[in-house]
Amino acid sequence: MYHRIWTVSNVLIIISSILYIWLFSPHDNTLIVISQLFAQIAMVLFIFNVNMYFIFFLIRKTKQREVKIRLATYSRYFMKWHIKMAITATLFIIGHAGINLFKIVPVIGYVHFKMLMGYTSFILLLVTLFAGYLRHKKASGFRKKFHRVIAMLLTVSFFIHMFIAM
């Protein structure tokens, strides 16, 4: 049951972001279109990484042994890509932010709510990466929880940023 709800919500988030970015917020400028593409790619990579929480949640909550084994096997494989996807997504976000600071900020200003949420998301991204680095070096209960909480705050922040109209 949980996995169906989670899967449908992931698909709806990706589809709604595609519709919003490409149909309701189109631009004529090539750099801005590239910036939108960078943001879209980064968002999909971050969703994959956030799904790690859901996989571990299902491992803890499910009573079916076969499901636990399958999810644990998947999570071991997926964790090998978790850091690589986070770094790749971060590089796309840096490209997205750089283009927007160059092309969008002169039009809407530095203190537009969309920009403020972008700054907030970027700071939370840096904190999440740092927390993930600490967790990778030495896992502890605090580091694990800190990484998870900051990652969830980042997720909420970047969704707010993404769906704010300019």
Side-chain angles (χ1 to χ4, degrees), residues 80-136:
K80 293 176 185 174
W81 293 96
H82 183 76
I83 295 170
K84 294 170 187 157
M85 284 196 298
I87 291 170
T88 303
T90 300
L91 293 174
F92 279 112
I93 290 299
I94 290 170
H96 167 74
I99 291 169
N100 285 344
L101 286 172
F102 177 68
K103 294 301 269 182
I104 299 288
V105 166
V107 176
I108 66 173
Y110 285 98
V111 293
H112 188 278
F113 189 60
K114 185 167 189 86
M115 296 306 296
L116 295 174
M117 289 309 297
Y119 308 144
T120 303
S121 297
F122 190 75
I123 290 168
L124 287 171
L125 171 62
L126 295 177
V127 175
T128 302
L129 291 172
F130 180 69
Y133 172 77
L134 291 177
R135 187 182 184 309
H136 180 70

Side-chain angles (χ1 to χ4, degrees), residues 9-10 14 29 41 43 45 49-50 54 59-60 62 73 79 99 101 107 112 117 119 129 132 141 143-144 148 151:
S9 66
N10 278 318
I14 290 171
N29 188 298
I41 293 168
M43 190 257 325
L45 291 172
N49 273 349
V50 168
F54 180 69
I59 290 171
R60 280 192 316 272
T62 189
T73 303
M79 279 308 287
I99 291 169
L101 286 172
V107 176
H112 188 278
M117 289 309 297
Y119 308 144
L129 291 172
R143 289 178 179 192
K144 180 174 143 182
R148 183 178 61 236

Side-chain angles (χ1 to χ4, degrees), residues 1-14 47 51 54 57-58:
M1 169 82 171
Y2 292 123
H3 68 282
R4 288 189 183 107
I5 294 169
W6 191 259
T7 302
V8 167
S9 66
N10 278 318
V11 169
L12 288 176
I13 288 168
I14 290 171
I47 284 177
N51 281 328
F54 180 69
F57 174 78
L58 280 179

